[in-house]
Amino acid sequence: MKYRVIKGTKDILPVETAAWQHVESVVRRTMHLFGYREIRTPIFEQTGLFARSIGELTDIVSKEMYSFLDRSKESVTLRPEGTAAALRAYIENSLGEQSPLTKLYYIGPMFRQERPQAGRLRQFHQFGAEAIGSPSPLIDVEMMLLAVEIYRSLGIDKFSLKINSVGCEQCRPRYKEILIAALKNIESQLSPDSRMRIDQNPLRVLDSKDEHDRLLTAGAPLIKDYLCGDCKKHFETLISLLDSLALPYEVDGRLVRGLDYYTKTAFEISSAMLGSQDALAGGGRYDLLVEELGGKRTPGIGFAAGIERLMMVLEKSGTHSFTVPPPDLFFVALDDHARRWSFGKTYELRRSGISAEIDYLARSIKAQMREANRQSARYVLVVGEAELASRTGKLKNMKTGEETEVTLDALNIPR
RNA sequence: GUGGCCAUAGUUCAGUUGGUUAGAACGCCAGGUUGUGGCCCUGGAGGUCGUGGGUUCAACUCCCACUGGUCACCCCA
C-alpha cells in the first residue's frame, strides 16, 4: 500500500459516523441545556500559548507536542488540549467584558505525539466545557453534573467520579515540601520512575501504578489535610453540594492532574470498561490561568472528555448500532429510456424530501433488486417500456413483498 | 522513548517435522428465473503470504533487519 494514515491517526468510516453524530448531538444538546455556547478556535496556535498554560515541565509540553516552524519561521503547535485556546480567545475577544460569567464548550480534534495504545491516539477528539468568571463551588458542581449528564444521556451509567483538591499557590508549595521530605525518607525503596518524580512532580509519586510504591506511600501526607482555609472551605462546600444532590463520588486524595494550571478542585471520570487508559473525562479549576495568559485575574473551571474512549464504552456496553435512514424508494430501470425517466424522478422526489435511489451501473433487474435490498430500500418501483406507456406501475413493499398499483405522474410513497 | 505479542484474499482466520497448483467462511460478481430482492443451489473474480536480506536443492513455514499494527510502561482524554 502506497499511502496510509499517519501512525496514531484513524479514519472514521461511514459505518461509524452515525454513532459519532449521535454522540455529538447529545453533547451539543446537553451543553445548551446547561447554558454553554460553542466556541470554535483554530486547531493550531502559537507554541508559546501551550507552553505557558500547560506548563513547560509537563509531559505534554516537554515531549508530546506537534510543533513545527511555519514558512515565516514562527513556531506553531497543533493543539494538545482545548482550554488554552478557549482562554486565549476569551481574553483576545474580551468576552469577560460582556458578561461576568462566560460559559463555553468545544468539540473537535486534539493532537499529542505519544506512542498509541488502547484508548490513546495521536489525533483524538474531545469535547469540553469552560466556565470563566466564578469562584463558586456551585459552578464546580455544575461542571461535574454536566459531564455526568452527557454520559447518562448516552446510556452510560457505569463510571466513577473521583474528586480531590490540589490546593492553591498558598498551600500547595507548603504541602509539596512536606511531601518531598516524607518521600526522601523512603527514596531508596521507591521504583526508579518514582524516584525521578520526587523532584520533577512529587504529587505523581502518590498515584504511581507500581504496587510496591503504593504500599510504601500508604501513610504519606495527602494534600487535602494541608489545605489553606480558603481551599479547605471550598472543598467542603463542594462535597456537601455533591451529597445534597445524591451524586455518587469518591474522594481520591491521590488524584493529580497532568497539567500545571489546576488549582483547588480536580476531578476525573473513569470507566472500568476501558483498558489501562481508563479516564473518560478530567477537569478542574484554574483560578490563575487567565491572568497567566495576560487577562485580568479571573477564576475558571473546565473539563475535557475523550470521544474515542466514550465510543469504546458505548461499543462494549452494546448500546450502539446507529444507522442512517435507508432510501424510501429505489427505482429499478430496465432500459436506457426508463433509466433517464427514473433519474429525473429521483431528483424530483429528493427535492420534495423523499429519499430516492437508482442504479447507476445499468445492471440486470436481479442485480438492481439485490442492490435495493442491500440498501434496505422501503419500496421498489420497476420501470420499463410497459410502465412508461401506461403511466402506471407496481410499487413493491420490500418488507412484505406486496405490490400496489400506482400512477407514475403522482407517485405517493406511504410513510 | 522502553518492552511483550502479532502480520496469509475486501473481512475473520486455517495452512502438517520446510516439499512443488496457498485454502475455508463471510463479503463481492454472474447464472439458476429472456420483468422482481432476502433463503437455497451452481460457477467466477480476488493473494508480489507486510518489506528487504539470509539459510536451503526447495521458505507462507527457519534466522536477521526494517516497517506497520496491537497491548503495556511513562503520561493522559
Side-chain angles (χ1 to χ4, degrees):
Chain A
M1 206 148 320
K2 194 165 182 188
Y3 298 108
R4 39 170 125 230
V5 288
I6 286 172
K7 185 199 270 289
T9 70
K10 265 198 163 68
D11 297 314
I12 300 167
L13 299 172
V15 287
E16 312 164 84
T17 45
W20 276 73
Q21 286 162 3
H22 176 249
V23 166
E24 287 160 8
S25 89
V26 167
V27 168
R28 289 179 197 286
R29 197 186 315 141
T30 313
M31 290 287 188
H32 297 155
L33 211 52
F34 278 68
Y36 289 74
R37 311 239 324 253
E38 186 180 10
I39 184 165
R40 300 191 189 193
T41 64
I43 59 164
F44 64 139
E45 298 273 351
Q46 293 175 24
T47 298
L49 172 66
F50 300 118
R52 190 65 181 277
S53 59
I54 299 167
E56 297 277 2
L57 296 178
T58 60
D59 279 31
I60 293 180
V61 172
S62 65
K63 55 184 206 196
E64 296 170 3
M65 291 207 301
Y66 267 105
S67 300
F68 52 94
L69 294 179
D70 68 10
R71 287 179 191 277
S72 60
K73 302 284 181 285
E74 185 184 10
S75 178
V76 297
T77 295
L78 264 32
R79 62 182 186 192
E81 55 104 42
T83 301
L87 293 192
R88 192 226 77 231
Y90 167 87
I91 296 164
E92 187 169 350
N93 297 286
S94 307
L95 299 186
E97 303 304 318
Q98 294 162 39
S99 64
L101 177 65
T102 306
K103 305 211 288 187
L104 305 171
Y105 80 89
Y106 58 82
I107 176 164
M110 306 291 164
F111 307 83
R112 292 182 201 172
Q113 189 161 178
E114 302 178 82
R115 191 82 159 249
Q117 74 181 76
R120 167 186 293 160
L121 291 167
R122 290 186 171 183
Q123 174 175 343
F124 58 104
H125 297 77
Q126 289 186 331
F127 60 84
E130 315 290 348
I132 310 150
S134 168
S136 165
L138 281 173
I139 200 84
D140 298 26
V141 172
E142 173 171 289
M143 206 46 81
M144 296 175 199
L145 290 171
L146 170 56
V148 163
E149 187 57 28
I150 289 172
Y151 292 121
R152 286 190 178 154
S153 299
L154 286 164
I156 298 171
D157 45 18
K158 283 184 199 135
F159 53 77
S160 58
L161 169 64
K162 285 183 241 169
I163 62 169
N164 194 19
S165 174
V166 295
C168 64
E169 76 270 38
Q170 304 295 322
C171 47
R172 186 154 40 171
R174 271 204 319 258
Y175 163 71
K176 236 176 179 173
E177 276 177 38
I178 293 167
L179 177 63
I180 290 174
L183 292 175
K184 289 280 186 195
N185 286 333
I186 51 169
E187 180 165 7
S188 59
Q189 302 168 64
L190 288 168
S191 67
D193 276 333
S194 285
R195 246 175 280 161
M196 285 206 306
R197 284 189 278 235
I198 293 180
D199 296 312
Q200 307 257 329
N201 192 347
L203 306 213
R204 275 259 107 77
V205 178
L206 296 182
D207 74 346
S208 170
K209 282 185 185 173
D210 187 288
E211 227 174 287
H212 191 60
D213 284 354
R214 296 200 89 105
L215 282 171
L216 280 170
T217 58
L222 296 178
I223 190 164
K224 65 182 171 91
D225 300 317
Y226 295 86
L227 295 174
C228 63
D230 185 33
C231 288
K232 190 163 190 278
K233 185 159 174 283
H234 188 94
F235 195 50
E236 282 168 356
T237 310
L238 174 75
I239 285 174
S240 81
L241 282 166
L242 290 173
D243 287 338
S244 71
L245 289 165
L247 185 66
Y249 67 93
E250 178 192 327
V251 174
D252 180 351
R254 289 160 184 260
L255 177 68
V256 188
R257 308 247 25 95
L259 293 69
D260 280 358
Y261 54 61
Y262 287 114
T263 53
K264 293 197 171 86
T265 310
F267 69 98
E268 183 172 303
I269 294 176
S270 55
S271 168
M273 299 181 91
L274 293 175
S276 179
Q277 309 303 323
D278 64 349
L280 278 173
R285 180 163 276 285
Y286 44 78
D287 289 344
L288 309 173
L289 187 53
V290 175
E291 186 177 32
E292 176 75 23
L293 293 177
K296 287 194 220 165
R297 181 154 189 149
T298 314
I301 181 165
F303 81 91
I307 301 183
E308 281 83 358
R309 292 184 188 177
L310 168 50
M311 300 302 302
M312 287 168 80
V313 171
L314 278 182
E315 210 163 304
K316 288 209 171 130
S317 49
T319 36
H320 68 319
S321 86
F322 303 95
T323 47
V324 291
D328 296 310
L329 178 62
F330 193 102
F331 285 103
V332 170
L334 299 183
D335 56 34
D336 249 24
H337 184 210
R339 208 161 4 255
R340 289 187 74 103
W341 182 87
S342 302
F343 185 63
K345 205 70 184 171
T346 298
Y347 177 51
E348 193 183 301
L349 289 170
R350 285 171 176 171
R351 291 191 71 196
S352 68
I354 291 166
S355 150
E357 194 52 272
I358 184 178
D359 172 66
Y360 294 95
L361 302 175
R363 288 185 279 185
S364 68
I365 180 169
K366 178 169 178 159
Q368 293 188 58
M369 287 300 296
R370 229 181 359 241
E371 185 61 34
N373 188 59
R374 181 172 20 237
Q375 294 188 25
S376 307
R378 294 176 49 235
Y379 289 90
V380 159
L381 185 65
V382 177
V383 185
E385 268 180 66
E387 285 78 6
L388 290 179
S390 69
R391 309 310 293 171
T392 61
K394 288 191 198 119
L395 188 66
K396 178 164 187 171
N397 181 324
M398 291 294 276
K399 197 132 191 190
T400 63
E402 123 191 50
E403 298 187 313
T404 44
E405 198 78 16
V406 293
T407 54
L408 297 192
D409 300 306
L411 269 185
N412 191 19
I413 311 303
R415 170 64 287 254

